[in-house]
Amino acid sequence: MLFKAPRGTADILPDEQAYWRYIEEKAVAVCKLYGYQRMDTPTFEDAGLFARSVGEGTDIVNKEMYVFKDRSDNELALQPEGTASICRAYLEHGMDNLPQPVKLYYFADIFRYERPQAGRYRQHHQFGCEAIGEASPMLDAEVIQMALWFFKSLGLTQFTLQLNSIGCKQCRPDYLLKLAEYYTPLTPSLCEDCRTRIVKNPLRLLDCKKPGCQAAAEEAPRSSDHLCEGCHDHFEALKIYLEALGIVYGVNHRLVRGLDYYTRTVFEFQPLEGGSQSALGGGGRYDDLITELGGKQTPAIGFATGMERIVLNLKNQGIEVPGQVKPAVFMACMGNSAKIEALKTASDLREAGIPVIVAAGDRSLKAQLRQANSLGAIYAVIIGDDEINEGMVTLRNMGTSEQQVVEPEELKTILGAQE
RNA sequence: GUGAGUGUAGCCCAGAGGCCUAAGGCGCCAGGUUGUGGCCCUGGAUACCGAGGGUUCGAAUCCCUCCACUCACCCCA
């Protein structure tokens, strides 16, 4: 074989498509219910956009981003996440002049140079939503509910909602200081990585999976205990709203996310079982991101889910999705004049909105009907010399094996009535 | 980036130094009716045994390198 799909990419074959269409359909329906509008952005952007938004120090930007120069030496990157592009477009098109908040959704191809494994690819697909221009925790609650609604409409139930607040630029520095203070004396018990994290990125200390570090993280100061008044009130209000909506959540003090732009609310949906730490989706508030990209202070919140992971979970939970529609009519023909007649008849039927598959080639009638059967056709129309001579066609019901000879003109009405 | 496992036809796989000019099942193609499917029967095509190198009289089977896949770490969707 000369070529294979690049590592970490996958072809989505016809047999898989039903899952994807199903997910898209449910996603669009939920967005409609909550008043979100679709927006599509480029697959690649100025690399600086991601460095600035996702963060220079993050793994995503540091070691996972596909960066390249085009022929004019522009430094570009395949998008490693969806939010940055949406915010860029929001600013670029003056959407801050629209009634706020602006609610947008997208389906995007996401690229990260990672080592592929279950539910993890170098190119994957996300469905995401962003609500830009409103700070109220009501919106946080609504976004979370919307995500849940989406999962529920898909039939997914085996997952938990984890919630945390990581503060804002006012209270977070103090908290990080507290974390560093707490961790410094424990340095000997920490893993290599965590020792550097104390200085570089103390938040990340919390989600280290190494046993020694886990123990330390248990007792570590909690971000939610060190929120400023504004963040505290926001978080408390959100919890009240969630409870009012009957949404079950767990506060996970160690939930921090790998993108620097998050402020206050962060959340993640974790499957109860299956594979590694394959989050179904997640999101959070990013009140400073628009400013970071050159806009005025604009609070916002969003969430995103991985399509591949949803497919994985649908399969794991044995959820059936609507399958491929069977062709209504298979047209078999024998002989040259029959071929012409078949093409014309098929054309007429399609004109009448009836799906038709025509057997092209010179296979035996037996072979043609075999194919009709394996395609699951409901009817077969047979045209051969006999039919041509009489100016008729044979209509065979593949379910009952009943046949009748009819005029070509009648097909439309007979078959149309079956729909 | 790290670690473990795997790599035989479109798919699932047997095969553990010569009997492999590689088996079986699914699928595909053809035939069993002179113009008729699904079941059944018969026949057929499709594999330079992941790639390259080595050991050997002899390798799909042993060794090395590389590549890919899978799983896990990491990180996240």
Side-chain angles (χ1 to χ4, degrees), chain A residues 36 83 86-87 90-91 94-104 129-140 142-143 234 263-264 284-291 295-302:
Chain A
Y36 282 68
T83 303
I86 297 291
C87 291
Y90 170 90
L91 286 172
M95 296 174 107
D96 50 344
N97 292 309
L98 297 172
Q100 306 291 300
V102 174
K103 297 179 169 180
L104 303 163
C129 301
E130 313 290 349
I132 305 173
E134 173 56 61
S136 166
M138 275 179 76
L139 201 55
D140 301 41
E142 199 183 72
V143 165
H234 185 95
T263 55
R264 294 189 165 171
R285 190 160 264 292
Y286 48 95
D287 291 342
D288 301 323
L289 177 51
I290 297 281
T291 324
K296 61 187 183 204
Q297 179 64 36
T298 309
I301 181 165

Side-chain angles (χ1 to χ4, degrees), chain A residues 92-162:
Chain A
E92 187 169 339
H93 300 99
M95 296 174 107
D96 50 344
N97 292 309
L98 297 172
Q100 306 291 300
V102 174
K103 297 179 169 180
L104 303 163
Y105 76 91
Y106 60 88
F107 293 98
D109 288 13
I110 303 296
F111 304 85
R112 292 182 199 167
Y113 188 84
E114 300 191 80
R115 198 79 182 266
Q117 70 187 60
R120 202 175 76 178
Y121 302 89
R122 288 185 175 177
Q123 176 182 14
H124 76 274
H125 302 79
Q126 290 189 5
F127 156 59
C129 301
E130 313 290 349
I132 305 173
E134 173 56 61
S136 166
M138 275 179 76
L139 201 55
D140 301 41
E142 199 183 72
V143 165
I144 290 172
Q145 191 203 27
M146 179 175 167
L148 282 166
W149 198 302
F150 170 58
F151 293 135
K152 195 176 146 196
S153 72
L154 287 167
L156 292 174
T157 52
Q158 304 298 301
F159 64 89
T160 61
L161 164 61
Q162 300 183 15

Side-chain angles (χ1 to χ4, degrees), chain A residues 190-417:
Chain A
L190 299 177
C191 72
E192 199 76 16
D193 289 340
C194 282
R195 289 177 195 174
T196 62
R197 284 178 179 136
I198 294 182
V199 211
K200 266 179 59 190
N201 196 346
L203 258 194
R204 297 235 71 84
L205 284 160
L206 294 172
D207 70 347
C208 183
K209 310 296 189 298
K210 302 265 177 2
C213 308
Q214 291 234 351
E218 282 302 322
E219 303 295 322
R222 299 172 162 186
S223 61
S224 55
D225 292 337
H226 294 80
L227 298 174
C228 61
E229 200 181 343
C231 289
H232 173 83
D233 293 350
H234 185 95
F235 195 38
E236 291 309 308
L238 169 59
K239 290 193 273 192
I240 289 169
Y241 294 145
L242 289 178
E243 275 149 35
L245 289 169
I247 292 171
V248 181
Y249 63 88
V251 173
N252 178 351
H253 299 286
R254 293 166 53 188
L255 176 64
V256 296
R257 294 179 45 86
L259 299 92
D260 284 353
Y261 55 62
Y262 285 116
T263 55
R264 294 189 165 171
T265 312
V266 292
F267 58 93
E268 227 169 75
F269 301 95
Q270 284 290 344
L272 292 184
E273 57 186 294
S276 46
Q277 293 70 33
S278 45
L280 254 183
R285 190 160 264 292
Y286 48 95
D287 291 342
D288 301 323
L289 177 51
I290 297 281
T291 324
E292 192 62 36
L293 297 180
K296 61 187 183 204
Q297 179 64 36
T298 309
I301 181 165
F303 92 99
T305 61
M307 306 275 281
E308 284 82 356
R309 290 195 180 167
I310 292 175
V311 172
L312 203 63
N313 279 272
L314 288 173
K315 288 180 181 171
N316 286 159
Q317 293 180 34
I319 294 166
E320 305 258 339
V321 301
Q324 172 96 38
V325 184
K326 303 289 185 202
V329 179
F330 183 91
M331 190 152 306
C333 53
M334 290 153 299
N336 287 328
S337 28
K339 286 178 185 167
I340 293 169
E341 200 51 40
L343 282 173
K344 282 160 64 182
T345 311
S347 191
D348 284 350
L349 290 176
R350 289 175 184 137
E351 200 104 21
I354 300 166
V356 185
I357 291 176
V358 180
D362 291 299
R363 309 215 294 169
S364 66
L365 180 60
K366 179 187 188 131
Q368 294 186 57
L369 286 178
R370 233 200 273 268
Q371 193 187 355
N373 189 61
S374 68
L375 288 171
I378 303 162
Y379 286 97
V381 170
I382 301 169
I383 307 177
D385 291 341
D386 297 352
E387 286 81 0
I388 294 289
N389 291 336
E390 293 164 37
M392 306 289 272
V393 298
T394 299
L395 178 64
R396 179 179 182 86
N397 181 320
M398 294 299 284
T400 63
S401 296
E402 287 174 275
Q403 281 190 190
Q404 48 182 320
V405 177
V406 302
E407 294 194 21
E409 295 308 307
E410 290 180 79
L411 283 177
K412 264 189 282 241
T413 40
I414 301 175
L415 297 174

Side-chain angles (χ1 to χ4, degrees), chain A residues 63-78:
Chain A
K63 29 192 234 197
E64 296 178 356
M65 200 155 73
Y66 278 90
V67 186
F68 62 98
K69 286 204 164 154
D70 69 9
R71 289 166 191 270
S72 305
D73 255 13
N74 298 308
E75 192 164 70
L76 303 169
L78 297 179

